[in-house]
C-alpha cells in the first residue's frame, strides 16, 4: 500500500477496510498484546478513537515512552534543589514544571519566588544564559533520542560561544534499553512492540534488532496517523501468526535502517550511555545519557554539589505500574477521584503524552 501524504493516513474509508481485514484475520484467535511504547502513540490511539474500534483479540498496552512520566522522583527533587538556589535560573519544558516531587513541583517553587522558566527548546535556555551573565542557567534535559540531539547542539553552541553560565542536568532516556528491561521482567505478557517513528528517525530501525532477535519479539516502526497505527498493528499480527520476530518499518516515509548519522554523531560527541533511574522501573543499565567529561563544564551534576536526596513517594500513586503496562489508569485508586489534570498526583496525569491524562481526556 503506497501511502505518502497525511490526508491519506486519515482516510476513514481505508481505515474501515484495514479494520475489517484485521478483524477477519484475528477472528477466533487468542488475544494478542502489543505495547505502544511511546506516549505520542498512546495519545494518537485515543484521539483517533482506534482503541474502541480494534477487535477484541488485538489489545494495546501503554508503555514507558513519555519522557516526563518516566523522570524519577529523585530527579524532580534534584531539579527543585536547583530552583531553590538563588543564583540559579531553572529552565525546562512546560510539562515537567508541573510534575510533583516529594514536597512540591517546580511551578510551586516558582510561586514561592524561585526563578523557573518554561522554554520550548534548549537553545532558548542558552539565550537566557547569554542575557543573564551574572546568573547560572540550568536546563533540565529530559526526553528520548528525539530530543537529546537538540540538547547536545545547545551544549556545543554554548561551548563554541564561550558561554560559561549554562549547564544541563541530563535525565535523558534511551528507548531500546528500557524495552529490554521490560522483557527481562516477568510481570508483563507481550506479543510485540509498536515502535515510535520519531525516535527511530534518529536511531534507525536496526536499533531494535536485539529486541526482536534476542527476545523473539516482533517490532514494527510506525508513524502517528490512524492508518499508520492500524497498518503497524496488522504487520504485528501477521508476524505473530507466522511465527516471525523481525523488525519491520511501516513508517518508511520517515525512517531508515541506519537512522540519522549527523544526529547520532552529535549525541556521541556530547553524551555517553549511563545507568539511569526510571520512575517505577528503577535503575536500568545503559538507559540514560551522561555528559562526557570533555564537556564537564556544561554538566550541572558536576558543576554543583547536589546533596543526597531522600525521596518521599506518594504510596497511592500507581504511575510505576502504569508505565510498566501492568495496570491501566482506571485501576489506580486515585484516578479521576483526587488525581485529575488540574490536580495531578503523578506525572502520568501531568504530561500531554501521559497515559493517565489520555485516559482522563478520552474515556468516560
Ligand atoms: S491516576 Fe494519578 S496517581 Fe494514579 S497512576 Fe495515574 S498519575 Fe499516578
Amino acid at each position: 500500500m503506497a501511502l505518502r501524504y497525511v490526508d491519506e493516513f486519515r482516510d476513514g474509508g481505508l481505515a474501515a477496510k484495514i479494520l475489517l481485514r484485521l478483524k477477519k484475520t484475528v477472528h477466533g484467535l487468542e488475544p494478542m498484546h502489543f505495547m505502544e511504547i511511546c506516549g505520542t502513540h498512546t495519545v494518537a490511539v485515543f484521539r483517533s478513537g482506534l482503541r474502541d474500534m480494534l477487535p477484541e483479540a488485538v489489545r494495546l498496552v501503554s508503555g514507558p515512552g513519555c519522557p516526563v512520566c518516566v523522570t524519577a522522583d529523585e530527579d524532580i527533587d534534584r531539579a527543585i534543589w536547583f530552583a531553590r538556589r538563588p543564583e540559579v535560573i531553572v529552565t525546562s519544558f512546560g510539562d515537567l514544571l508541573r510534575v510533583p516531587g516529594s514536597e512540591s513541583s517546580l511551578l510551586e517553587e516558582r510561586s514561592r519566588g524561585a526563578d523557573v522558566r518554561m522554554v520550548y527548546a534548549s537553545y532558548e535556555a542558552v539565550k537566557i544564559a547569554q542575557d543573564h551573565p551574572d546568573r547560572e542557567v540550568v536546563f533540565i534535559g529530559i526526553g528520548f533520542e528525539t530530543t537529546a540531539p537538540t540538547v547536545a547542539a545547545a551544549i556545543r553552541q554554548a561551548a563554541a560561544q564561550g558561554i560559561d553560565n549554562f549547564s544541563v542536568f541530563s535525565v535523558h532516556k534511551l528507548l531500546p534499553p528500557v524495552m529490554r528491561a521490560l522483557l527481562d521482567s516477568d510481570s508483563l505478557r507481550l506479543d510485540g512492540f509498536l515502535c515510535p517513528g520519531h525516535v527511530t528517525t534518529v536511531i534507525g530501525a536496526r536499533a531494535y534488532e536485539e529486541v526482536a532477535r534476542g527476545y523473539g519479539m516482533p517490532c514494527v516502526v510506525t508513524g502517528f496517523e490512524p492508518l499508520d497505527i492500524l497498518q503497524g498493528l496488522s504487520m504485528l499480527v501477521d508476524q505473530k501468526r507466522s511465527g516471525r520476530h523481525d523488525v519491520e518499518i511501516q513508517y518508511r516515509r520517515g525512517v531508515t535502517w541506519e537512522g540519522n548519522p549527523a544526529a547520532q554523531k552529535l549525541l556521541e560527541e556530547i553524551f555517553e550511555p549511563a545507568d539511569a533511574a526510571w520512575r517505577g522501573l528503577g535503575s536500568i543499565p545503559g538507559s540514560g545519557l551522561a555528559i562526557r567529561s570533555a564537556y564537564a563544564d556544561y554538566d550541572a551534576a558536576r558543576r554543583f554539589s547536589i546533596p543526597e536526596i531522600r525521596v518521599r513517594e506518594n504510596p497511592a500513586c500507581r504511575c510505576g505500574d502504569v508505565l510498566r503496562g501492568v495496570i491501566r489508569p482506571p485501576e489506580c485508586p486515585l484516578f479521576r477521584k483526587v488525581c485529575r489534570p488540574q490536580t495531578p498526583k503523578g506525572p502520568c496525569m501531568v504530561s500531554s503524552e501521559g497515559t493517565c491524562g489520555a485516559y482522563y481526556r478520552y474515556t468516560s
Side-chain angles (χ1 to χ4, degrees), residues 317-319 322 332 334-335 339 345-346 348-349 356:
C317 171
R318 303 284 303 275
C319 281
V322 170
C332 170
L334 307 188
F335 182 75
C339 187
K345 301 298 172 204
C348 298
M349 188 60 87
C356 295

Side-chain angles (χ1 to χ4, degrees), residues 56-302:
E56 179 60 19
V58 177
R59 299 187 182 173
L60 278 170
V61 180
S62 298
C66 155
V68 172
C69 307
V70 295
T71 302
D73 299 76
E74 56 260 46
D75 288 327
I76 299 293
D77 286 351
R78 288 185 184 113
I80 288 169
W81 178 85
F82 284 117
R84 287 178 175 172
R85 298 185 68 84
E87 77 275 23
V88 171
I89 301 172
V90 165
T91 54
S92 197
F93 303 127
D95 281 351
L96 189 80
L97 306 192
R98 298 177 58 223
V99 175
S102 294
E103 293 173 16
S104 69
S105 65
L106 284 169
L107 266 194
E108 283 176 52
E109 295 299 316
R110 184 162 84 180
S111 68
R112 291 177 196 143
D115 198 342
V116 175
R117 304 187 190 188
M118 186 186 95
V119 293
Y120 291 100
S122 47
Y123 71 82
E124 291 175 35
V126 178
K127 176 80 172 61
I128 293 171
Q130 251 175 330
D131 293 344
H132 297 83
D134 54 331
R135 307 282 301 280
E136 286 283 337
V137 174
V138 175
F139 177 71
I140 312 297
I142 62 162
F144 287 88
E145 293 93 333
T146 337
T147 318
T150 64
V151 180
I155 291 176
R156 197 159 70 172
Q157 179 197 346
Q161 296 180 357
I163 298 168
D164 60 5
N165 61 330
F166 169 76
S167 57
V168 172
F169 182 54
S170 174
V171 287
H172 294 100
K173 303 283 190 292
L174 300 174
L175 210 57
V178 76
M179 293 165 73
R180 294 196 292 271
L182 285 171
L183 295 172
D184 282 334
S185 78
D186 51 13
S187 57
L188 191 63
R189 190 193 137 193
L190 274 189
D191 296 293
F193 282 114
L194 212 53
C195 303
H198 49 16
V199 164
T200 317
T201 57
V202 173
I203 63 177
R206 200 177 298 288
Y208 305 114
E209 276 192 331
E210 200 185 324
V211 170
R213 294 232 177 97
Y215 292 85
M217 191 57 54
C219 292
V220 174
V221 183
T222 312
F224 298 97
E225 298 299 332
L227 292 189
D228 286 322
I229 296 168
L230 267 179
Q231 198 175 19
L233 287 170
S234 297
M235 290 162 79
L236 282 170
V237 166
D238 287 347
Q239 283 206 42
K240 191 70 193 161
R241 288 183 65 230
S242 57
R244 288 183 295 119
H245 39 82
D246 300 323
V247 181
E248 292 183 306
I249 305 173
Q250 178 278 333
Y251 190 51
R252 290 201 173 274
R253 65 194 187 281
V255 162
T256 62
W257 280 101
E258 306 305 334
N260 180 333
Q264 291 167 12
K265 195 160 166 260
L266 189 56
L267 281 179
E268 175 75 19
E269 178 190 333
I270 307 290
F271 293 114
E272 58 190 347
D275 298 351
W278 294 62
R279 190 178 290 252
L281 296 161
S283 178
I284 300 177
S287 67
L289 289 173
I291 296 170
R292 287 189 184 276
S293 53
Y295 289 90
D297 289 348
Y298 300 92
D299 184 354
R302 297 190 219 206

